[in-house]
Amino acid sequence: MFRFVFLSSLEPSQIVATRVKLLRSLRLALQCSSELSLIVFNLWKQFIRHLSTNVDILSSMMLQLIASLLPFHEINFEHFQELVLLMLNNISNSQIAAIADDLLLIPQLNRMDNIQTKLNKCKKLHTTEVTDNQTKVKNDERTLLENKFQRLITLLNFDMVDIRLHALNSLENLLKTNRPYLLQMCLSRDTVPPIITRLILTLLERCNDTNQNIRFIAINSLGEIGAIDPGRIEFRKLYSKIVTSTSLINRLLSNSNSEINTDDLKRCYFKLYSQEFALELFAELTRAFLAADQVRQQDTISYAIQECLKFYNLNLSDDNEKVKVNQELWAKLNQEQQDLFKPLRTSKYVLTDETNLKTSRSQEAILKQLTVKTYEQWLTQYVPYLIQHLPNNNYYHLFHSCLFAVRFNSSIGSFLLPYVILHLIGENLGQDVLDREIKALIFYSNQYDTNEINPSSDVLHQIGQSIFTLIDFLLLFSSLNNIDPNEQAKQINQRKRQPAQTAQQQQLPQQLNPDPLNIHDGTWNNLGITRIRDYIRLLHTDLSLARIAFKYDHYTRAYRHFEMYSSIEQQINITHNSEFLLKLFHRLNDQDSAYGIIAVRDMKPKQSDHTRTDMYEEILSYELTGQIDEAIVAYENVLEMNELNQANLHLYLGYLNNLLTQQQFQHTIDQATGIIVQYPTWTNMLNPLRIEAAWKLSKWNLLEKFCSHQKENIDLSHNEQRNESSKMNILHDLNVSKQFEEYVGKILCQAKKQNREEFYAEFRLALNSLMGPISAASMEVGSYQRAYDYLAKLHLLKDLEYYILKNIFHDDHSIMIIDNDSVDDVWSQRHALLPPNSKFIEPSLALRRTLLLLDDIDHSKQHALEIGECWLHSARIARAQNNSLAAIGSLMKANQSHPIEVAIERAQWMWDKGEKDRAIMSLKQKKIELLESKTINEGNHNENRLQVSADLKAQVWLLLARYSEQNSPHEAVFEMYKQSQEAAPHWEETHFYLAQFYDTLLSSCIESDPTSSNSNSTTTTNNFLSSTGLSLENKLRMMEYIRLAVNTYCRSLKYGCDFIYQSLTRLLTMWLDFASDLAPFIKPVPAPTTTTRKQQPSTTPTTNLPDAAQIKQHGHAKLSEITREVSSWTTRIPPYLFLAAFPYMVSRICHSEDMTSKALNAIITQVFAAFPQQTLWMMINLYGSSNSMRRDRCIAIWNEASNIEPGLHDFVVEATILIKQLDTLCMHAVAYGQNKISLSAHFKSFKRSYANQSACPILIPIQSQMQVCLPPPPVRFSLSTTSAHLQQQANNDLPTESTVKLSAMVNKQGALGRTTNRKAAQLGSTTTGINKMPPKTYYDARHQPFPDAVVTIHSFEDSIDVLSSLQRPKKIVIRGSDGQLYPFLCKSQDDLRVDSRCLDFCHLFNKCLKKNSETRRRQLNIRTYAVYPINERCGLIEWLPNLCTFRSLVTKFYRQRSSNFSEVSNREIKVYGNSKDKSKEARFNDFVKLLAFHQPAVFHQYFFAAYPDPNRWYISRMNFVRSTAVMSMIGYIMGLGDRHCENILIDTCTGETVHVDFNCLFNKGLTFEIPEKVPFRLTHNIVDGMGTLGVEGVFRKTCEIILHLIRDERELLVSVLKTFIYDPLVEWKSATREEVANMKKQQIEGGEVVNMKAQTHVRNILERVRGYCTDELTGKRVVLPLSVEGQVDHLIQQATSNELLCQMFIGWAAYL
């Protein structure tokens, strides 16, 4: 009653000002007994009425108020409802509509009809469709789901536990009821949507919540989403988009964070007096206060806030009148904080129970104290213990004021812990307190047994992660604060010169000098920084940290600690730690690094006491490189030589684990049982292996028997424990790795018994076993990568739960099945989320097989087909991993249900092994069986199997034809291809490979012609008509092959686009080259007066007249037929397919043959009419070309497209104006010293704004908007072979909506059925009949090739930055229609067409990288960007953020080594540079001296400094190594030179290398005055950045993979390079006068230029691809082509040779 009177006596303004504090008290009032409910009701009613005086505040607090009232719902339902209605009636309908969706997420409100009706009514009245820049947002299912996710993410970060809990419950239900849409969102694109990544990150954070229920539901929700392949999540966007939901330390450690993105800003957060730190501290205290649910917690936090306000001069007490209030800091607090802090600015809180603050200063670690059972207990004891070690002066009063609050709120302790440790070590007071916890962690990591005294494994995981984060924090501090190496010497000299002081004067410096901080501003001096660095160095004097990190599953951290240890110990021998590294790379799944370890391992025999280590390394190397058969043999040999005893237990565990990998499950059970009989104490270790083998065999009796065994602890003596600890705890590691499989076995056992209660109990135990590691991983930035192994297990656990509840317990309600049609596909779609790695796919397949057998209670084999599909998939995985035994076993198990598929897979397995004859014979035998069988399943089965059999028959014929090309007559092979084509006419593959066979026959005509081998001329398929070295008969035959090949390539495009980059490019090349070769015969051109002998074959035929007449007659007929065929196919396939080869088509726009030119230009016109926004930027160089014919034809195409689509006329006008304006801007001369110009001042006629609704929008040409999204390939053999799928395939040649969705989801591509308003988003893209697909085609007319909303130019920013480089390029900024800024570089006096073509080549190669399994698994990629030449003089380049030149990054660390680095370095470099006239030996000696004494390798330091987080460090450095390798090989093949330190950039967010300036192409560097003799840049700093292994391992393996791929795809890649031949991009300066004159004559007469120099360069590229090299040291050319491995080794030796590097031009900076 007193409180009611007190509340009534307050003014409304007073209640509003103190609402936060009052709300805390009112929440506590809800805990009163039910008898007082009426008083509580009146208190709340009065409080709400006072708040209603400010409706904005009431509206903003609505969710918080309702969540606080939820306990009252159980006490008095009517009063709760009345209070909610009171709040809703006091705010406007628009305010209700804004929060209606959030309120409806609360289940209690959903059950109140009157409240739900009111919310829905307001929502309906005030919800309008938003229209922005002619883009209408459609509320389809996916959009609505994304909006719900976004709201829930906001609620998941709410301060109140109740709201977070309700949001998580709502999210879990939402995920379950929207599985199809969720899977479609995750699988529809190469990368998952940003909303899903944000949701994953938020859930990972909630896995570390203080509330146990929240952690459990968050884990469940992550399982519902599934273990999405990390390669499909854009981590840079994932960690940079979310800044408010992550902890401060994680934001500091994330170098891609958009909020704290500079080193200077990061340094501010290390200063206790800074506003940045103060704001973070107050935010943490505010969250803690709002989350407090007890009076004592509120009071302790209030005291902490009160004292912190005093510390920052924000209080208003009488004692502080003379101190000026920090108004600037107060203004930066948000309104909620100011309202909360206002009463605390004058409060008088004091500590009354200070005895509880006193902590024993025991020398024992807090972790070892018996009271520590949870992570929160450790934190709330450890932080106060540390704070009491700090001196109690004014500066550290901040920490002492929070000491008591830490005991009640672990989040405050987590926030303060890194700062307390930092200042303790800086004060030289606390090194031992952290050391003791680390040693305690080491102690527990060596314990095998778990009991009630020791902390649990989950707690140790979290504590270990916390300690590791502290070390990261110290490392970040060290990297941000630099010490001048000469400053200490200066200070010493100054002290020597100072006069002697008295004793009293000497005392003061003695007290101040040890202080590491400047008291006035809180900055750190050299003393504190040195202490921190010394401590870090002390931590890395051995591998203790690396081994602890390995123990607690943080493998990237273990690797980084090893690298830091090796950087400190300069002469480290990798071979001494090869066993540890091999195990580490095994856990990281990094086979490439393992190959590097094996390569650099010392081959000298080790001492006798290291024989065990040698054996370990050999077996580990087998396991890691996928040689499981060899590993098993090695295990067996070792076990035969050793008796069975305790010391060899790890060998048996490893042996049995490999047997499981090879799917020898029964053998595993027998072996493990025999060992247990002899050593019963080993049951605890071996029983999990038996359980796993039993459930994978579906032997339920054995499974129940093994699960019933009681676990027995292994009794190891102290010495045995110590010996095993030194062997990396192999026993303990294997036990942990098999714990999950044991849980799965127990769950399946209970499901078999139909024991639902025990099933849920075991399921919850399994979830809890994953919770600890996931919670520990969620405490750092790279949480997803680190937790992925456990997330994959969680994925399987949810699949297990879903299937058992649906098919065993028949509980549809628990799994919330909404769409019954999609239930059978859920597993297949979730399976597609996993990465293409046997480590994750095989367990999923094994579980699927077991569940299907578990469901087959009556042994009717109802799931035989699905089980067989799983075994087939396992066989394919085993074949890809070269796992022969597993592949054979899987094929034998699948043979009964899928005999034809097994025969196909077995033939492929034989072919991969090199047994090609056996593979062909096996397929021929199966072919005979298919021919002898009349109609499969006739009479007994329906048409379903008939259609499947037809597809399988096509597979057999197609595979047999491909294998037989080199071993059988052409007629027989052709017949095989025709059979496959007839069996599956709707397959793209059957037509594509037949077209390739025609292509092969085309080339064979030249090779088989006797006259061709006797001729001196070079005859190819491009110039065979003009060749004198080919018979007329063969020429006529080749014309027919070209016609057949082009026709079949066109037909393949009708049924899919999986091979589009090969088929479309090849058919265009064949068609256009044949027309060019035929043109002189159809329309002879008079011979030029002056020509070279080399040019004559390409201008006038030299064949005799009768042959020429026949060639003209037959050639014209064939060309007409081919042209008609190509033109007709353009109406049968969608126009966006031509975008895949549009740059090549544009380069041939001036084709010399009239009929072909018209047909080609008609195709270009149709594509431009369909997609004007994208194609405009690909054609602007034609419009600005100096070649009048190219420009005229470009204008003609645009005019013709405007006739097709009238709306394009205005668009073309606007585009031409923009092109001219950009040309003027680029060419504008800027005076030196002028760094900025104004668009309005210097270009008054420039049209800056395109925001006018009447203006035609023009797309912003960023690369992401220019990439076409092709439809996914069809799904023929899914893992869910149900009768519904078979019926669908049998009855539908066209994909229906449901099959389209399934195809999109399984193949991780865009959904074919998505619809958007293309007319509004993209001008002119839904026009003409070319978009209307005829009935029989693969493509869905609803497919969106550019599914994302188009961002168009809104306006140009007025300010233009002018760069200081030679050509003074200008940086312009375009504001998009989405409000974002898009910078571009306007470059003049440079022909960017070469850059554009090179990037087209790189873009196409990226497509190859995505299709190849090896490159896709390694996520290899070339970082490209958009380049648009306006004409031959200037162009536009997309500006990439976060890039730094390699020179700037390296010199930064050189300057840290010495203050006068520049002076000394320049002097020594001049000595080296002036030695060019000296002998090679003298130049070599000067170069080596420069590297050894003044320019040592330092680049490894960059990755330690730039990426403090271990996961980011590992990923970024791996990106650096792999991107360097990819561009090294691509650059070598293309002859890319001038790779100096300014042309190689590093992305500071991802670590990738980005190359710019492609002008020095085709080995042009060899023609320089000082030739560039190295094939690519691989200097000592580049190698140093690759880590301890250097060029071995990842770099070498990546180079080999890339070179293999280049050789496999050489025809496709060369087709892109041929655009250089028909576009005069290669500099004419290097051509002879006759060649230049001839090219100019071609421009005048024919339009299309044949650049002879480019033809030579393309031939040289082909030579390099085939393996021909030149030794630059000797100048000799390799006679025979090298293998891929040999060529890579040769190139690496050349690139790293100091003999060649010392001869490079001084500006190339070989010394960096």
Side-chain angles (χ1 to χ4, degrees), residues 624-642:
L624 188 52
T625 55
Q627 304 177 71
I628 306 300
D629 297 341
E630 290 81 354
I632 291 177
V633 172
Y635 271 122
E636 291 174 344
N637 290 335
V638 173
L639 292 173
E640 287 176 359
M641 296 183 294
N642 295 274

Side-chain angles (χ1 to χ4, degrees), residues 165 690 962 1003 1479 1596:
L165 191 57
R690 295 195 302 175
R962 293 181 61 193
S1003 301
S1479 63
R1596 183 183 293 274

Side-chain angles (χ1 to χ4, degrees), residues 140-155:
D140 56 5
E141 294 293 339
R142 175 168 176 169
T143 304
L144 292 174
L145 189 60
E146 289 183 354
N147 292 336
K148 290 180 181 179
F149 283 152
Q150 185 58 57
R151 288 195 300 272
L152 285 170
I153 288 173
T154 303
L155 296 179

Side-chain angles (χ1 to χ4, degrees), residues 1000-1017:
T1000 303
L1001 295 178
L1002 180 66
S1003 301
S1004 66
C1005 290
I1006 298 175
E1007 298 171 359
S1008 61
D1009 196 305
T1011 59
S1012 176
S1013 58
N1014 297 329
S1015 176
N1016 294 327
S1017 62

Side-chain angles (χ1 to χ4, degrees), residues 64 86 176 207 215 303 305 322 348 363 446 642 697 709 773 778 819 939 942 972 1270 1409 1506 1524 1558 1584 1671:
Q64 188 176 357
L86 178 62
K176 288 181 178 180
C207 290
R215 291 203 297 266
Y303 171 77
I305 295 174
K322 297 181 180 179
K348 302 291 185 179
Q363 297 300 315
N446 293 332
N642 295 274
L697 279 173
H709 276 286
S778 65
D819 185 2
N942 55 23
L1270 299 174
L1409 292 174
T1524 301
F1558 295 90
D1584 186 63
D1671 189 343

Side-chain angles (χ1 to χ4, degrees), residues 1257-1315:
I1258 299 177
L1259 175 139
I1260 299 179
I1262 55 176
Q1263 188 180 35
S1264 58
Q1265 292 203 115
M1266 302 293 291
Q1267 295 178 350
V1268 60
C1269 177
L1270 299 174
V1275 179
R1276 301 195 185 93
F1277 303 103
S1278 69
L1279 295 174
S1280 181
T1281 315
T1282 61
S1283 59
H1285 291 153
L1286 300 178
Q1287 183 69 34
Q1288 210 169 52
Q1289 279 189 327
N1291 299 335
N1292 295 283
D1293 188 27
L1294 291 176
T1296 62
E1297 184 175 359
S1298 58
T1299 53
V1300 162
K1301 289 183 179 179
L1302 176 63
S1303 173
M1305 289 186 283
V1306 172
N1307 292 279
K1308 307 182 181 180
Q1309 294 289 337
L1312 303 182
R1314 181 174 177 181
T1315 59

